[in-house]
Amino acid sequence: MLSQMNSRFSRRDLIGAAAAGAALTGIGKSAFAASPEARARVSANDKLVLGLIGCGGMGASDMRQLMQQPDVEVAALCDVDDARMEGDIAHVERTYNRKPTIYKDYRKMLERKDIDGIIVGTPDNWHALNLIHAVEAGKDAYCEKPISHDIVEARSMANAVKHHNKIVQVGTWQRSNREFVSAIDYVRSGKLGKVVMTKAWRTDPSQVGNHPPQAVPSGFDYDMWVGPAHFTPYVPEYTHGQWRWFYNTGCGMAGDWGVHMIDIVLLGMSKDTDLPMPVEVSAIGGKYAWPTDARTTPDTQIAIMKFKDPDFILQWETGRDHIRKDGSGAEFIADNGKNLMVWRGGWVVRDADGNELPKEEAAPVSDHWRNWVDCVKSREQPRSNLASMAQTTITCHLANVATLAGETVHFDKAKMDIVGKAGRHTSSYSREYRKPWKLPIYHS
Ligand SMILES: NC(=O)c1ccc[n+]([C@@H]2O[C@H](COP(=O)([O-])OP(=O)(O)OC[C@H]3O[C@@H](n4cnc5c(N)ncnc54)[C@H](O)[C@@H]3O)[C@@H](O)[C@H]2O)c1
């Protein structure tokens, strides 16, 4: 519960403060509050010096994208598992003809004054601490999606980034891809008509099976991997890459792909990156396809969300792989029957009878990683800025909140909080951190 995360704040305090738009007090900040000299400023001609937290997966891929920028240099790598770092160490060494500095505890990396920005490539259970500690240490960040494990974390992260005035790009790179930009422009132009129904989906065959615990390999600080989550015995098949199927460490498919595809719907239904958020969410989900699988998040889930101003319905759906193509996408349906569908690789507009209609491609934009580097230098907000991605991420969490609660959940965007009791007890709303970890709480 919140009050246990930070004994000086009750949930009522938090909500009241958010509602009143109260200024941040210093209370609740962690030990990483930046000293003035740590507030790095990178001028247009400077190299941006980066460190990566979480190697071997998407963080490593982000690092490689950023290393292609001529004004970026990677100085340090951090992972709790030695085995995950080898490829990334070799890549940095090959590129710069020098070894990166290696860390197992990201807090040590954050103490370095020469590092301007951090890539957060850890599993979801770590994003809130990694990011809040990074901005407190004066770093800008490229943070992987979903931004958080739960709603309370997302809210505090957004407030922390705003308070420390940091530039954070979230890894929802679809915002920088031409088919999605074109589709969003088309919907916003009004050419489709008044959109009343939207859909976002992802099919998936993932199963983790059932496996016994094993001894933790040497070189792997598993306790630090678990971090603020509940401690569970080490099972390799539930660890690297597979943590996303467990509520303890991830958010299931709603947080994994929902955050990409629901994001496109919310952007199409908005004027800019300040997104509409649902006022009411109902959902059903569970282990229907593989009931004996060890995963704890749904393999099958449908969430229905009601939005006001603009008034429309969003349906999020995930389930096992089947014949419907493409396996993921977003769809907008207008009152006149016109329909726009967009997926990774294309988009199409059709009339009510299914005839394809003419469409225009938007001008290409700079890639997602370049956009962050440019914004770190200009101090403008990047396309997937943290405040906007907190709105999408919380919308995705609400699908899980309603699934876990088994009842309809109400939400108030002005308060960035659930209204009423339904859903508050779920782990997708908030959870108690495992000691000694504490979530720093920032108010709006
Ligand atoms: N943007 C995208 O398209 C995209 C695609 C895939 C994954 N992701 C996101 O990227 C993130 C990582 O996913 P992944 O599939 O690469 O995970 P992964 O499990 O493959 O890699 C995560 C790494 O983080 C390390 N780690 C865990 N705790 C750590 C800590 N406290 N300090 C340092 N290192 C730590 C792990 O040991 C592991 O090597 C997730 O948030 C995921 O949702 C985004």
Side-chain angles (χ1 to χ4, degrees):
M1 291 295 100
L2 271 178
S3 55
Q4 289 160 297
M5 286 179 204
N6 183 329
S7 59
R8 304 188 71 165
F9 286 87
S10 68
R11 186 183 296 126
R12 190 186 294 271
D13 291 333
L14 275 179
I15 296 161
L24 173 96
T25 68
I27 307 165
K29 283 196 282 180
S30 77
F32 291 89
S35 58
E37 66 273 21
R39 291 171 196 273
R41 282 285 179 274
V42 183
S43 77
N45 298 322
D46 286 343
K47 279 217 177 209
L48 187 63
V49 180
L50 303 182
L52 166 64
I53 311 173
C55 299
M58 191 61 194
S61 168
D62 294 328
M63 180 190 80
R64 282 165 173 72
Q65 292 282 352
L66 286 159
M67 283 172 69
Q68 288 174 23
Q69 311 299 325
D71 48 353
V72 166
E73 198 171 316
V74 171
L77 304 179
C78 173
D79 204 291
V80 292
D81 185 355
D82 293 347
R84 295 283 290 186
M85 302 179 87
E86 288 161 12
D88 296 337
I89 294 171
H91 185 75
V92 171
E93 197 173 359
R94 261 197 315 274
T95 307
Y96 303 123
N97 208 20
R98 56 148 182 79
K99 273 194 193 311
T101 318
I102 304 304
Y103 297 90
K104 267 195 140 155
D105 186 330
Y106 72 96
R107 295 169 295 183
K108 289 280 164 211
M109 185 198 269
L110 294 181
E111 285 172 7
R112 282 193 37 184
K113 303 280 186 279
D114 63 321
I115 291 183
D116 308 301
I118 295 292
I119 305 165
V120 177
T122 47
D124 304 350
N125 59 318
W126 266 110
H127 291 182
L129 287 179
N130 290 163
L131 184 84
I132 293 175
H133 289 162
V135 297
E136 287 180 343
K139 318 297 184 199
D140 296 310
Y142 186 102
C143 179
E144 266 311 333
K145 45 54 54 177
I147 69 161
S148 69
H149 169 266
D150 55 61
I151 290 177
V152 168
E153 284 184 348
R155 199 170 51 198
S156 194
M157 292 164 84
N159 292 337
V161 169
K162 189 172 173 200
H163 174 77
H164 291 285
N165 197 19
K166 291 297 154 203
I167 300 298
V168 181
Q169 175 87 300
V170 177
T172 39
W173 50 263
Q174 288 184 173
R175 286 194 181 192
S176 298
N177 269 41
R178 201 172 179 188
E179 64 270 30
F180 292 103
V181 175
S182 304
I184 291 162
D185 277 0
Y186 190 96
V187 176
R188 284 182 179 174
S189 74
K191 285 182 201 151
L192 195 66
K194 183 181 165 222
V195 175
V196 289
M197 172 67 142
T198 62
K199 299 185 183 191
W201 67 92
R202 166 73 181 168
T203 63
D204 183 54
S206 299
Q207 294 177 66
V208 294
N210 281 278
H211 307 275
Q214 290 187 21
V216 179
S218 67
F220 187 9
D221 184 350
Y222 178 66
D223 191 81
M224 187 71 172
W225 185 90
V226 176
H230 302 300
F231 191 86
T232 53
Y234 172 65
V235 179
E237 291 84 356
Y238 308 158
T239 309
H240 298 312
Q242 303 304 321
W243 48 264
R244 47 183 35 80
W245 310 124
F246 298 87
Y247 276 124
N248 190 32
T249 42
C251 311
M253 195 50 91
D256 203 33
W257 275 76
V259 95
H260 282 300
M261 293 304 171
I262 289 175
D263 191 47
I264 299 307
V265 167
L266 300 182
L267 281 165
M269 299 307 291
S270 67
K271 295 187 189 70
D272 49 36
T273 59
D274 179 17
L275 307 176
M277 295 182 77
V279 294
E280 199 177 304
V281 179
S282 303
I284 299 171
K287 295 198 287 183
Y288 288 82
W290 304 291
T292 59
D293 196 76
R295 67 188 289 159
T296 58
T297 59
D299 59 35
T300 308
Q301 183 183 43
I302 294 186
I304 312 286
M305 308 191 183
K306 176 180 170 179
F307 291 76
K308 293 291 288 176
D309 193 24
D311 294 0
F312 68 100
I313 290 171
L314 163 62
Q315 177 184 296
W316 154 252
E317 182 182 314
T318 188
R320 68 140 304 123
D321 243 5
H322 57 89
I323 196 70
R324 186 163 100 195
K325 299 291 178 198
D326 186 275
S328 62
E331 190 175 3
F332 300 83
I333 302 163
D335 56 352
N336 55 25
K338 278 206 255 176
N339 161 295
L340 184 153
M341 201 186 298
V342 58
W343 62 96
R344 290 184 178 182
W347 65 295
V348 64
V349 188
R350 294 195 180 94
D351 66 17
D353 299 319
N355 304 307
E356 258 191 59
L357 297 174
K359 57 180 182 141
E360 275 170 31
E361 297 296 336
V365 295
S366 61
D367 79 40
H368 208 59
W369 299 267
R370 182 70 232 169
N371 175 240
W372 177 58
V373 174
D374 287 341
C375 289
V376 167
K377 295 187 169 189
S378 68
R379 308 315 287 174
E380 283 167 17
Q381 286 301 324
R383 289 184 203 115
S384 289
N385 65 77
L386 203 279
S388 179
M389 284 312 305
Q391 295 172 335
T392 298
T393 303
I394 289 175
T395 301
C396 297
H397 287 322
L398 284 168
N400 286 336
V401 167
T403 303
L404 289 168
E407 52 186 331
T408 298
V409 173
H410 297 267
F411 189 79
D412 182 344
K413 180 183 168 185
K415 296 179 180 167
M416 281 300 247
D417 205 2
I418 286 176
V419 178
K421 285 190 181 152
R424 284 183 182 275
H425 66 284
T426 63
S427 64
S428 295
Y429 176 68
S430 77
R431 69 153 157 208
E432 186 180 347
Y433 269 27
R434 188 171 70 107
K435 288 187 174 72
W437 300 104
K438 274 189 181 175
L439 174 67
I441 296 292
Y442 280 78
H443 301 296
S444 61

